[in-house]
Amino acid sequence: MLPRFTDGARTGSGAMTPPIDKILEGDCVERMKALPAESVDMIFADPPYFLQLEDELLRPNNSRVDGVSDAWDQFEGFAAYDAFTREWLGAAQRLLKPTGTLWVIGSYHNIFRVGTALQDLGFWILNDVIWRKTNPMPNFRGRRFTNAHETLIWCTKGRDAKGYRFNYDAMKSLNDDLQMRSDWLIPLCTGTERLKKDGKKAHATQKPEALLHRAILAATDTGDVVLDPFFGSGTTGAVAKRLGRHWIGIERQEDYITLAQERLRTVQVASEEALEVTPSKRSQPRIPFGLVVERGLLSPGDQLYDARRRYAAKVRADGSLVADGVTGSIHKVGAHLQGAPACNGWTFWHFDVEGGDLKPIALLRERMRQEIH
Ligand SMILES: C[S@@+](CC[C@H](N)C(=O)[O-])C[C@H]1O[C@@H](n2cnc3c(N)ncnc32)[C@H](O)[C@@H]1O
């Protein structure tokens, strides 16, 4: 069957681009099928959990606990839920660029089913991330452990999908210069961040902006397109906009669309300077040492030394070094002289500057990088 919508515009080169910074109303499978293939950099999906709540849950003081009993969370059974999951995941896979990634969040009710479907469809899991809630809802009946986390699965569209974005250094910087781990301690969305209507939660499952901040900052660049097929109150759009990313929301319920539109209108985009993140070393252009020689920053015959002038080597015209009867790359010769298994030649070798000081050759690489950019 042909899709009811065909969303997007044609660029000068004839390629289709999706409609950006908009909420598309309707069923996410239908709407995603109508968007151009391979046009989205990241998808964040917070699908129905299929909680299957039967009885009303009461606190010890008999007040009612807000569970998710909304119509959008109802399915006939696991078979129907699984069929729906495979449908939307298939549509999402088609939309992702080859370098794009998908995040799905869920609880024990659904995340294992989603995980199976993902792997069956050929998605390749990069991480499962535990969102540990600092302020979870207590277990009122005292018959189970407090359910204090949700799981996010982060994946590429296939095993061979290369070149996906992971802003490793930005994540490290966000974590006080320690590698970011896969367990994230983040509070539930409460206080002024929680959208209210007539004094009640406007959406039962509004996610904290901090969670989206981390996912979007980790996996996208400014100007990228982030899509959320289960937009709800628009958390993904709000954070994407603030971080200078484009966003597309899909939502079936009109009242949530109005809520999200209101929310997005007030979000300010951060300044360009504030949005620059610590660049990943791997994303910087690779500079072979030979280029430094070709460019004339060092000449054939120049001497290099280690920081304490214990070792010396001579630069050759092809960008190799010679010392102690051994020739090879800056790394190989450095390792050989020290009797070490490996050596980072860029930080090991130094060149003479006026006044008898030594500077690491990594400075020349930095100069080359700036010239190239
Ligand atoms: C778990 S909530 C997402 C909440 C959202 N992450 C937030 O922070 O507000 C799921 C949302 O998906 C919507 N939804 C459910 N099934 C849908 C479908 N087939 N197509 C589009 N939206 C759907 C629901 O109306 C609900 O708002």
Side-chain angles (χ1 to χ4, degrees), residues 120-154:
D120 287 350
L121 287 169
F123 282 96
W124 190 251
I125 298 180
L126 297 168
N127 278 116
D128 66 324
V129 170
I130 298 298
W131 163 31
R132 190 149 84 81
K133 302 172 183 177
T134 53
N135 48 351
M137 185 163 63
N139 184 273
F140 292 110
R141 291 186 179 137
R143 292 175 58 85
R144 296 185 191 185
F145 298 108
T146 300
N147 181 20
H149 74 274
E150 289 189 34
T151 304
L152 295 103
I153 299 178
W154 183 43

PDB file of all heavy atoms in Angstrom, residues 120-154:
ATOM      1  N   ASP A 120      17.050  -9.304  15.741  1.00  0.00           N
ATOM      2  CA  ASP A 120      16.479 -10.064  14.609  1.00  0.00           C
ATOM      3  C   ASP A 120      16.480  -9.229  13.335  1.00  0.00           C
ATOM      4  O   ASP A 120      16.636  -9.740  12.241  1.00  0.00           O
ATOM      5  CB  ASP A 120      15.043 -10.501  14.923  1.00  0.00           C
ATOM      6  CG  ASP A 120      15.005 -11.624  15.946  1.00  0.00           C
ATOM      7  OD1 ASP A 120      16.085 -12.183  16.258  1.00  0.00           O
ATOM      8  OD2 ASP A 120      13.909 -11.939  16.441  1.00  0.00           O
ATOM      9  N   LEU A 121      16.281  -7.921  13.478  1.00  0.00           N
ATOM     10  CA  LEU A 121      16.225  -7.049  12.289  1.00  0.00           C
ATOM     11  C   LEU A 121      17.624  -6.655  11.802  1.00  0.00           C
ATOM     12  O   LEU A 121      17.759  -5.956  10.800  1.00  0.00           O
ATOM     13  CB  LEU A 121      15.424  -5.786  12.601  1.00  0.00           C
ATOM     14  CG  LEU A 121      13.913  -5.983  12.716  1.00  0.00           C
ATOM     15  CD1 LEU A 121      13.254  -4.744  13.298  1.00  0.00           C
ATOM     16  CD2 LEU A 121      13.304  -6.295  11.353  1.00  0.00           C
ATOM     17  N   GLY A 122      18.644  -7.050  12.540  1.00  0.00           N
ATOM     18  CA  GLY A 122      20.013  -6.777  12.072  1.00  0.00           C
ATOM     19  C   GLY A 122      20.665  -5.548  12.668  1.00  0.00           C
ATOM     20  O   GLY A 122      21.793  -5.215  12.321  1.00  0.00           O
ATOM     21  N   PHE A 123      19.953  -4.842  13.547  1.00  0.00           N
ATOM     22  CA  PHE A 123      20.611  -3.721  14.253  1.00  0.00           C
ATOM     23  C   PHE A 123      21.800  -4.285  15.029  1.00  0.00           C
ATOM     24  O   PHE A 123      21.783  -5.463  15.437  1.00  0.00           O
ATOM     25  CB  PHE A 123      19.647  -3.080  15.261  1.00  0.00           C
ATOM     26  CG  PHE A 123      18.613  -2.163  14.662  1.00  0.00           C
ATOM     27  CD1 PHE A 123      17.339  -2.627  14.357  1.00  0.00           C
ATOM     28  CD2 PHE A 123      18.899  -0.820  14.437  1.00  0.00           C
ATOM     29  CE1 PHE A 123      16.370  -1.776  13.837  1.00  0.00           C
ATOM     30  CE2 PHE A 123      17.940   0.034  13.928  1.00  0.00           C
ATOM     31  CZ  PHE A 123      16.682  -0.444  13.617  1.00  0.00           C
ATOM     32  N   TRP A 124      22.796  -3.446  15.277  1.00  0.00           N
ATOM     33  CA  TRP A 124      23.999  -3.900  15.980  1.00  0.00           C
ATOM     34  C   TRP A 124      24.130  -3.101  17.275  1.00  0.00           C
ATOM     35  O   TRP A 124      24.316  -1.884  17.243  1.00  0.00           O
ATOM     36  CB  TRP A 124      25.235  -3.702  15.083  1.00  0.00           C
ATOM     37  CG  TRP A 124      26.450  -4.353  15.647  1.00  0.00           C
ATOM     38  CD1 TRP A 124      27.542  -3.732  16.182  1.00  0.00           C
ATOM     39  CD2 TRP A 124      26.698  -5.764  15.763  1.00  0.00           C
ATOM     40  NE1 TRP A 124      28.453  -4.672  16.622  1.00  0.00           N
ATOM     41  CE2 TRP A 124      27.963  -5.925  16.377  1.00  0.00           C
ATOM     42  CE3 TRP A 124      25.963  -6.907  15.413  1.00  0.00           C
ATOM     43  CZ2 TRP A 124      28.519  -7.168  16.633  1.00  0.00           C
ATOM     44  CZ3 TRP A 124      26.520  -8.152  15.681  1.00  0.00           C
ATOM     45  CH2 TRP A 124      27.775  -8.267  16.277  1.00  0.00           C
ATOM     46  N   ILE A 125      24.029  -3.803  18.393  1.00  0.00           N
ATOM     47  CA  ILE A 125      24.011  -3.104  19.691  1.00  0.00           C
ATOM     48  C   ILE A 125      25.418  -2.622  20.069  1.00  0.00           C
ATOM     49  O   ILE A 125      26.373  -3.392  20.033  1.00  0.00           O
ATOM     50  CB  ILE A 125      23.418  -4.008  20.789  1.00  0.00           C
ATOM     51  CG1 ILE A 125      21.966  -4.362  20.430  1.00  0.00           C
ATOM     52  CG2 ILE A 125      23.482  -3.333  22.163  1.00  0.00           C
ATOM     53  CD1 ILE A 125      21.236  -5.238  21.417  1.00  0.00           C
ATOM     54  N   LEU A 126      25.504  -1.335  20.403  1.00  0.00           N
ATOM     55  CA  LEU A 126      26.778  -0.741  20.822  1.00  0.00           C
ATOM     56  C   LEU A 126      26.894  -0.771  22.349  1.00  0.00           C
ATOM     57  O   LEU A 126      27.949  -1.012  22.899  1.00  0.00           O
ATOM     58  CB  LEU A 126      26.869   0.709  20.337  1.00  0.00           C
ATOM     59  CG  LEU A 126      26.872   0.897  18.817  1.00  0.00           C
ATOM     60  CD1 LEU A 126      26.672   2.380  18.467  1.00  0.00           C
ATOM     61  CD2 LEU A 126      28.163   0.397  18.207  1.00  0.00           C
ATOM     62  N   ASN A 127      25.825  -0.470  23.010  1.00  0.00           N
ATOM     63  CA  ASN A 127      25.791  -0.441  24.481  1.00  0.00           C
ATOM     64  C   ASN A 127      24.359  -0.663  24.958  1.00  0.00           C
ATOM     65  O   ASN A 127      23.428  -0.304  24.252  1.00  0.00           O
ATOM     66  CB  ASN A 127      26.172   0.946  25.031  1.00  0.00           C
ATOM     67  CG  ASN A 127      27.658   1.206  25.115  1.00  0.00           C
ATOM     68  OD1 ASN A 127      28.169   2.082  24.450  1.00  0.00           O
ATOM     69  ND2 ASN A 127      28.363   0.460  25.939  1.00  0.00           N
ATOM     70  N   ASP A 128      24.206  -1.215  26.142  1.00  0.00           N
ATOM     71  CA  ASP A 128      22.952  -0.996  26.853  1.00  0.00           C
ATOM     72  C   ASP A 128      23.325  -0.118  28.044  1.00  0.00           C
ATOM     73  O   ASP A 128      24.345  -0.332  28.700  1.00  0.00           O
ATOM     74  CB  ASP A 128      22.245  -2.295  27.259  1.00  0.00           C
ATOM     75  CG  ASP A 128      23.009  -3.090  28.290  1.00  0.00           C
ATOM     76  OD1 ASP A 128      24.247  -3.092  28.214  1.00  0.00           O
ATOM     77  OD2 ASP A 128      22.377  -3.720  29.158  1.00  0.00           O
ATOM     78  N   VAL A 129      22.568   0.901  28.231  1.00  0.00           N
ATOM     79  CA  VAL A 129      22.867   1.889  29.271  1.00  0.00           C
ATOM     80  C   VAL A 129      21.798   1.788  30.344  1.00  0.00           C
ATOM     81  O   VAL A 129      20.608   1.696  30.043  1.00  0.00           O
ATOM     82  CB  VAL A 129      22.872   3.318  28.659  1.00  0.00           C
ATOM     83  CG1 VAL A 129      22.939   4.377  29.750  1.00  0.00           C
ATOM     84  CG2 VAL A 129      24.038   3.486  27.688  1.00  0.00           C
ATOM     85  N   ILE A 130      22.232   1.758  31.577  1.00  0.00           N
ATOM     86  CA  ILE A 130      21.276   1.735  32.691  1.00  0.00           C
ATOM     87  C   ILE A 130      21.066   3.174  33.154  1.00  0.00           C
ATOM     88  O   ILE A 130      22.027   3.848  33.530  1.00  0.00           O
ATOM     89  CB  ILE A 130      21.829   0.900  33.869  1.00  0.00           C
ATOM     90  CG1 ILE A 130      22.047  -0.554  33.459  1.00  0.00           C
ATOM     91  CG2 ILE A 130      20.917   1.002  35.086  1.00  0.00           C
ATOM     92  CD1 ILE A 130      20.795  -1.277  33.037  1.00  0.00           C
ATOM     93  N   TRP A 131      19.818   3.613  33.085  1.00  0.00           N
ATOM     94  CA  TRP A 131      19.499   4.917  33.690  1.00  0.00           C
ATOM     95  C   TRP A 131      19.050   4.607  35.113  1.00  0.00           C
ATOM     96  O   TRP A 131      17.960   4.080  35.337  1.00  0.00           O
ATOM     97  CB  TRP A 131      18.391   5.625  32.896  1.00  0.00           C
ATOM     98  CG  TRP A 131      17.766   6.745  33.692  1.00  0.00           C
ATOM     99  CD1 TRP A 131      18.364   7.531  34.633  1.00  0.00           C
ATOM    100  CD2 TRP A 131      16.406   7.177  33.627  1.00  0.00           C
ATOM    101  NE1 TRP A 131      17.471   8.425  35.171  1.00  0.00           N
ATOM    102  CE2 TRP A 131      16.256   8.230  34.563  1.00  0.00           C
ATOM    103  CE3 TRP A 131      15.303   6.781  32.865  1.00  0.00           C
ATOM    104  CZ2 TRP A 131      15.051   8.879  34.764  1.00  0.00           C
ATOM    105  CZ3 TRP A 131      14.091   7.421  33.059  1.00  0.00           C
ATOM    106  CH2 TRP A 131      13.977   8.479  33.992  1.00  0.00           C
ATOM    107  N   ARG A 132      19.937   4.901  36.082  1.00  0.00           N
ATOM    108  CA  ARG A 132      19.619   4.643  37.491  1.00  0.00           C
ATOM    109  C   ARG A 132      18.972   5.895  38.053  1.00  0.00           C
ATOM    110  O   ARG A 132      19.566   6.978  37.980  1.00  0.00           O
ATOM    111  CB  ARG A 132      20.895   4.288  38.256  1.00  0.00           C
ATOM    112  CG  ARG A 132      20.592   3.773  39.640  1.00  0.00           C
ATOM    113  CD  ARG A 132      21.647   2.779  40.072  1.00  0.00           C
ATOM    114  NE  ARG A 132      22.827   3.432  40.642  1.00  0.00           N
ATOM    115  CZ  ARG A 132      22.920   3.879  41.888  1.00  0.00           C
ATOM    116  NH1 ARG A 132      21.876   3.807  42.708  1.00  0.00           N
ATOM    117  NH2 ARG A 132      24.028   4.431  42.326  1.00  0.00           N
ATOM    118  N   LYS A 133      17.768   5.739  38.568  1.00  0.00           N
ATOM    119  CA  LYS A 133      16.997   6.903  39.043  1.00  0.00           C
ATOM    120  C   LYS A 133      17.417   7.228  40.478  1.00  0.00           C
ATOM    121  O   LYS A 133      17.422   6.330  41.330  1.00  0.00           O
ATOM    122  CB  LYS A 133      15.510   6.595  38.973  1.00  0.00           C
ATOM    123  CG  LYS A 133      15.068   6.240  37.557  1.00  0.00           C
ATOM    124  CD  LYS A 133      13.633   5.732  37.508  1.00  0.00           C
ATOM    125  CE  LYS A 133      13.302   5.323  36.079  1.00  0.00           C
ATOM    126  NZ  LYS A 133      11.955   4.761  35.934  1.00  0.00           N
ATOM    127  N   THR A 134      17.739   8.492  40.710  1.00  0.00           N
ATOM    128  CA  THR A 134      18.141   8.877  42.071  1.00  0.00           C
ATOM    129  C   THR A 134      16.919   8.901  42.990  1.00  0.00           C
ATOM    130  O   THR A 134      17.048   8.767  44.200  1.00  0.00           O
ATOM    131  CB  THR A 134      18.775  10.277  42.087  1.00  0.00           C
ATOM    132  OG1 THR A 134      17.864  11.167  41.444  1.00  0.00           O
ATOM    133  CG2 THR A 134      20.084  10.316  41.348  1.00  0.00           C
ATOM    134  N   ASN A 135      15.757   9.100  42.403  1.00  0.00           N
ATOM    135  CA  ASN A 135      14.545   9.278  43.201  1.00  0.00           C
ATOM    136  C   ASN A 135      13.407   8.405  42.661  1.00  0.00           C
ATOM    137  O   ASN A 135      12.376   8.919  42.243  1.00  0.00           O
ATOM    138  CB  ASN A 135      14.127  10.761  43.171  1.00  0.00           C
ATOM    139  CG  ASN A 135      14.116  11.320  41.748  1.00  0.00           C
ATOM    140  OD1 ASN A 135      14.579  10.657  40.812  1.00  0.00           O
ATOM    141  ND2 ASN A 135      13.577  12.511  41.567  1.00  0.00           N
ATOM    142  N   PRO A 136      13.612   7.069  42.651  1.00  0.00           N
ATOM    143  CA  PRO A 136      12.564   6.202  42.075  1.00  0.00           C
ATOM    144  C   PRO A 136      11.319   6.154  42.956  1.00  0.00           C
ATOM    145  O   PRO A 136      11.383   6.488  44.137  1.00  0.00           O
ATOM    146  CB  PRO A 136      13.242   4.833  42.036  1.00  0.00           C
ATOM    147  CG  PRO A 136      14.202   4.868  43.182  1.00  0.00           C
ATOM    148  CD  PRO A 136      14.689   6.296  43.272  1.00  0.00           C
ATOM    149  N   MET A 137      10.224   5.702  42.338  1.00  0.00           N
ATOM    150  CA  MET A 137       9.006   5.537  43.132  1.00  0.00           C
ATOM    151  C   MET A 137       9.203   4.317  44.037  1.00  0.00           C
ATOM    152  O   MET A 137       9.678   3.274  43.562  1.00  0.00           O
ATOM    153  CB  MET A 137       7.831   5.308  42.177  1.00  0.00           C
ATOM    154  CG  MET A 137       6.523   5.258  42.890  1.00  0.00           C
ATOM    155  SD  MET A 137       5.169   5.483  41.731  1.00  0.00           S
ATOM    156  CE  MET A 137       5.331   4.078  40.694  1.00  0.00           C
ATOM    157  N   PRO A 138       8.885   4.418  45.325  1.00  0.00           N
ATOM    158  CA  PRO A 138       9.079   3.242  46.194  1.00  0.00           C
ATOM    159  C   PRO A 138       8.179   2.084  45.769  1.00  0.00           C
ATOM    160  O   PRO A 138       7.201   2.292  45.054  1.00  0.00           O
ATOM    161  CB  PRO A 138       8.662   3.747  47.584  1.00  0.00           C
ATOM    162  CG  PRO A 138       8.455   5.207  47.465  1.00  0.00           C
ATOM    163  CD  PRO A 138       8.288   5.546  46.021  1.00  0.00           C
ATOM    164  N   ASN A 139       8.508   0.891  46.222  1.00  0.00           N
ATOM    165  CA  ASN A 139       7.629  -0.253  45.991  1.00  0.00           C
ATOM    166  C   ASN A 139       6.636  -0.292  47.145  1.00  0.00           C
ATOM    167  O   ASN A 139       6.955  -0.741  48.254  1.00  0.00           O
ATOM    168  CB  ASN A 139       8.449  -1.544  45.923  1.00  0.00           C
ATOM    169  CG  ASN A 139       7.559  -2.712  45.594  1.00  0.00           C
ATOM    170  OD1 ASN A 139       6.972  -3.331  46.480  1.00  0.00           O
ATOM    171  ND2 ASN A 139       7.423  -2.989  44.328  1.00  0.00           N
ATOM    172  N   PHE A 140       5.404   0.211  46.871  1.00  0.00           N
ATOM    173  CA  PHE A 140       4.454   0.431  47.970  1.00  0.00           C
ATOM    174  C   PHE A 140       3.989  -0.858  48.629  1.00  0.00           C
ATOM    175  O   PHE A 140       3.708  -0.893  49.812  1.00  0.00           O
ATOM    176  CB  PHE A 140       3.254   1.242  47.468  1.00  0.00           C
ATOM    177  CG  PHE A 140       3.640   2.646  47.113  1.00  0.00           C
ATOM    178  CD1 PHE A 140       3.664   3.073  45.792  1.00  0.00           C
ATOM    179  CD2 PHE A 140       4.025   3.543  48.103  1.00  0.00           C
ATOM    180  CE1 PHE A 140       4.045   4.359  45.473  1.00  0.00           C
ATOM    181  CE2 PHE A 140       4.418   4.830  47.785  1.00  0.00           C
ATOM    182  CZ  PHE A 140       4.428   5.242  46.473  1.00  0.00           C
ATOM    183  N   ARG A 141       3.924  -1.943  47.839  1.00  0.00           N
ATOM    184  CA  ARG A 141       3.394  -3.179  48.450  1.00  0.00           C
ATOM    185  C   ARG A 141       4.480  -3.959  49.187  1.00  0.00           C
ATOM    186  O   ARG A 141       4.175  -4.924  49.877  1.00  0.00           O
ATOM    187  CB  ARG A 141       2.784  -4.054  47.361  1.00  0.00           C
ATOM    188  CG  ARG A 141       1.511  -3.450  46.794  1.00  0.00           C
ATOM    189  CD  ARG A 141       0.858  -4.405  45.826  1.00  0.00           C
ATOM    190  NE  ARG A 141      -0.370  -3.824  45.314  1.00  0.00           N
ATOM    191  CZ  ARG A 141      -0.741  -3.877  44.062  1.00  0.00           C
ATOM    192  NH1 ARG A 141       0.026  -4.468  43.168  1.00  0.00           N
ATOM    193  NH2 ARG A 141      -1.872  -3.331  43.683  1.00  0.00           N
ATOM    194  N   GLY A 142       5.745  -3.565  48.951  1.00  0.00           N
ATOM    195  CA  GLY A 142       6.847  -4.246  49.642  1.00  0.00           C
ATOM    196  C   GLY A 142       6.983  -5.696  49.234  1.00  0.00           C
ATOM    197  O   GLY A 142       7.455  -6.528  50.006  1.00  0.00           O
ATOM    198  N   ARG A 143       6.614  -6.025  48.021  1.00  0.00           N
ATOM    199  CA  ARG A 143       6.695  -7.437  47.591  1.00  0.00           C
ATOM    200  C   ARG A 143       7.769  -7.663  46.532  1.00  0.00           C
ATOM    201  O   ARG A 143       7.933  -8.763  46.019  1.00  0.00           O
ATOM    202  CB  ARG A 143       5.334  -7.887  47.061  1.00  0.00           C
ATOM    203  CG  ARG A 143       4.304  -7.962  48.175  1.00  0.00           C
ATOM    204  CD  ARG A 143       2.937  -8.276  47.650  1.00  0.00           C
ATOM    205  NE  ARG A 143       2.885  -9.531  46.905  1.00  0.00           N
ATOM    206  CZ  ARG A 143       2.718 -10.722  47.459  1.00  0.00           C
ATOM    207  NH1 ARG A 143       2.607 -10.821  48.771  1.00  0.00           N
ATOM    208  NH2 ARG A 143       2.663 -11.812  46.720  1.00  0.00           N
ATOM    209  N   ARG A 144       8.441  -6.590  46.137  1.00  0.00           N
ATOM    210  CA  ARG A 144       9.531  -6.692  45.162  1.00  0.00           C
ATOM    211  C   ARG A 144      10.582  -5.656  45.519  1.00  0.00           C
ATOM    212  O   ARG A 144      10.343  -4.777  46.332  1.00  0.00           O
ATOM    213  CB  ARG A 144       9.043  -6.342  43.755  1.00  0.00           C
ATOM    214  CG  ARG A 144       8.024  -7.245  43.193  1.00  0.00           C
ATOM    215  CD  ARG A 144       7.771  -6.810  41.777  1.00  0.00           C
ATOM    216  NE  ARG A 144       6.596  -7.487  41.242  1.00  0.00           N
ATOM    217  CZ  ARG A 144       6.201  -7.367  40.006  1.00  0.00           C
ATOM    218  NH1 ARG A 144       6.872  -6.581  39.169  1.00  0.00           N
ATOM    219  NH2 ARG A 144       5.151  -8.015  39.573  1.00  0.00           N
ATOM    220  N   PHE A 145      11.738  -5.722  44.813  1.00  0.00           N
ATOM    221  CA  PHE A 145      12.726  -4.659  44.960  1.00  0.00           C
ATOM    222  C   PHE A 145      12.151  -3.372  44.374  1.00  0.00           C
ATOM    223  O   PHE A 145      11.323  -3.419  43.452  1.00  0.00           O
ATOM    224  CB  PHE A 145      14.007  -5.007  44.189  1.00  0.00           C
ATOM    225  CG  PHE A 145      14.681  -6.250  44.681  1.00  0.00           C
ATOM    226  CD1 PHE A 145      14.648  -7.423  43.928  1.00  0.00           C
ATOM    227  CD2 PHE A 145      15.350  -6.247  45.898  1.00  0.00           C
ATOM    228  CE1 PHE A 145      15.275  -8.565  44.382  1.00  0.00           C
ATOM    229  CE2 PHE A 145      15.981  -7.395  46.347  1.00  0.00           C
ATOM    230  CZ  PHE A 145      15.941  -8.560  45.593  1.00  0.00           C
ATOM    231  N   THR A 146      12.622  -2.241  44.858  1.00  0.00           N
ATOM    232  CA  THR A 146      12.243  -0.962  44.246  1.00  0.00           C
ATOM    233  C   THR A 146      12.753  -0.964  42.814  1.00  0.00           C
ATOM    234  O   THR A 146      13.927  -1.265  42.579  1.00  0.00           O
ATOM    235  CB  THR A 146      12.922   0.199  45.005  1.00  0.00           C
ATOM    236  OG1 THR A 146      12.485   0.141  46.343  1.00  0.00           O
ATOM    237  CG2 THR A 146      12.591   1.541  44.383  1.00  0.00           C
ATOM    238  N   ASN A 147      11.883  -0.676  41.896  1.00  0.00           N
ATOM    239  CA  ASN A 147      12.279  -0.674  40.479  1.00  0.00           C
ATOM    240  C   ASN A 147      12.930   0.680  40.186  1.00  0.00           C
ATOM    241  O   ASN A 147      12.244   1.667  39.974  1.00  0.00           O
ATOM    242  CB  ASN A 147      11.021  -0.894  39.631  1.00  0.00           C
ATOM    243  CG  ASN A 147      11.353  -0.939  38.169  1.00  0.00           C
ATOM    244  OD1 ASN A 147      12.502  -1.180  37.791  1.00  0.00           O
ATOM    245  ND2 ASN A 147      10.358  -0.678  37.343  1.00  0.00           N
ATOM    246  N   ALA A 148      14.275   0.716  40.220  1.00  0.00           N
ATOM    247  CA  ALA A 148      14.971   2.012  40.248  1.00  0.00           C
ATOM    248  C   ALA A 148      15.718   2.334  38.960  1.00  0.00           C
ATOM    249  O   ALA A 148      16.541   3.243  38.948  1.00  0.00           O
ATOM    250  CB  ALA A 148      15.940   2.027  41.424  1.00  0.00           C
ATOM    251  N   HIS A 149      15.475   1.607  37.884  1.00  0.00           N
ATOM    252  CA  HIS A 149      16.195   1.928  36.645  1.00  0.00           C
ATOM    253  C   HIS A 149      15.371   1.630  35.402  1.00  0.00           C
ATOM    254  O   HIS A 149      14.364   0.920  35.463  1.00  0.00           O
ATOM    255  CB  HIS A 149      17.523   1.155  36.577  1.00  0.00           C
ATOM    256  CG  HIS A 149      17.361  -0.297  36.264  1.00  0.00           C
ATOM    257  ND1 HIS A 149      17.117  -1.246  37.214  1.00  0.00           N
ATOM    258  CD2 HIS A 149      17.401  -0.954  35.076  1.00  0.00           C
ATOM    259  CE1 HIS A 149      17.019  -2.429  36.639  1.00  0.00           C
ATOM    260  NE2 HIS A 149      17.185  -2.278  35.338  1.00  0.00           N
ATOM    261  N   GLU A 150      15.814   2.227  34.314  1.00  0.00           N
ATOM    262  CA  GLU A 150      15.319   1.847  32.991  1.00  0.00           C
ATOM    263  C   GLU A 150      16.547   1.550  32.140  1.00  0.00           C
ATOM    264  O   GLU A 150      17.668   1.932  32.498  1.00  0.00           O
ATOM    265  CB  GLU A 150      14.469   2.960  32.369  1.00  0.00           C
ATOM    266  CG  GLU A 150      13.140   3.087  33.090  1.00  0.00           C
ATOM    267  CD  GLU A 150      12.137   4.019  32.410  1.00  0.00           C
ATOM    268  OE1 GLU A 150      12.101   4.094  31.169  1.00  0.00           O
ATOM    269  OE2 GLU A 150      11.404   4.670  33.165  1.00  0.00           O
ATOM    270  N   THR A 151      16.331   0.887  31.025  1.00  0.00           N
ATOM    271  CA  THR A 151      17.453   0.499  30.160  1.00  0.00           C
ATOM    272  C   THR A 151      17.338   1.211  28.822  1.00  0.00           C
ATOM    273  O   THR A 151      16.249   1.308  28.255  1.00  0.00           O
ATOM    274  CB  THR A 151      17.446  -1.027  29.930  1.00  0.00           C
ATOM    275  OG1 THR A 151      17.482  -1.660  31.200  1.00  0.00           O
ATOM    276  CG2 THR A 151      18.621  -1.479  29.089  1.00  0.00           C
ATOM    277  N   LEU A 152      18.473   1.709  28.355  1.00  0.00           N
ATOM    278  CA  LEU A 152      18.509   2.260  26.995  1.00  0.00           C
ATOM    279  C   LEU A 152      19.399   1.350  26.156  1.00  0.00           C
ATOM    280  O   LEU A 152      20.472   0.940  26.616  1.00  0.00           O
ATOM    281  CB  LEU A 152      19.124   3.665  26.970  1.00  0.00           C
ATOM    282  CG  LEU A 152      18.358   4.752  27.704  1.00  0.00           C
ATOM    283  CD1 LEU A 152      19.033   5.036  29.047  1.00  0.00           C
ATOM    284  CD2 LEU A 152      18.323   6.025  26.893  1.00  0.00           C
ATOM    285  N   ILE A 153      18.938   1.018  24.968  1.00  0.00           N
ATOM    286  CA  ILE A 153      19.781   0.262  24.038  1.00  0.00           C
ATOM    287  C   ILE A 153      20.247   1.251  22.974  1.00  0.00           C
ATOM    288  O   ILE A 153      19.430   2.002  22.427  1.00  0.00           O
ATOM    289  CB  ILE A 153      19.009  -0.904  23.392  1.00  0.00           C
ATOM    290  CG1 ILE A 153      18.525  -1.870  24.476  1.00  0.00           C
ATOM    291  CG2 ILE A 153      19.897  -1.640  22.393  1.00  0.00           C
ATOM    292  CD1 ILE A 153      17.700  -3.034  23.948  1.00  0.00           C
ATOM    293  N   TRP A 154      21.544   1.256  22.719  1.00  0.00           N
ATOM    294  CA  TRP A 154      22.100   2.154  21.695  1.00  0.00           C
ATOM    295  C   TRP A 154      22.701   1.287  20.596  1.00  0.00           C
ATOM    296  O   TRP A 154      23.510   0.408  20.889  1.00  0.00           O
ATOM    297  CB  TRP A 154      23.180   3.052  22.326  1.00  0.00           C
ATOM    298  CG  TRP A 154      23.778   4.056  21.396  1.00  0.00           C
ATOM    299  CD1 TRP A 154      23.109   4.828  20.501  1.00  0.00           C
ATOM    300  CD2 TRP A 154      25.165   4.413  21.274  1.00  0.00           C
ATOM    301  NE1 TRP A 154      23.992   5.639  19.822  1.00  0.00           N
ATOM    302  CE2 TRP A 154      25.258   5.402  20.285  1.00  0.00           C
ATOM    303  CE3 TRP A 154      26.329   3.983  21.900  1.00  0.00           C
ATOM    304  CZ2 TRP A 154      26.473   5.979  19.906  1.00  0.00           C
ATOM    305  CZ3 TRP A 154      27.542   4.556  21.537  1.00  0.00           C
ATOM    306  CH2 TRP A 154      27.604   5.546  20.551  1.00  0.00           C
TER     307      TRP A 154
END
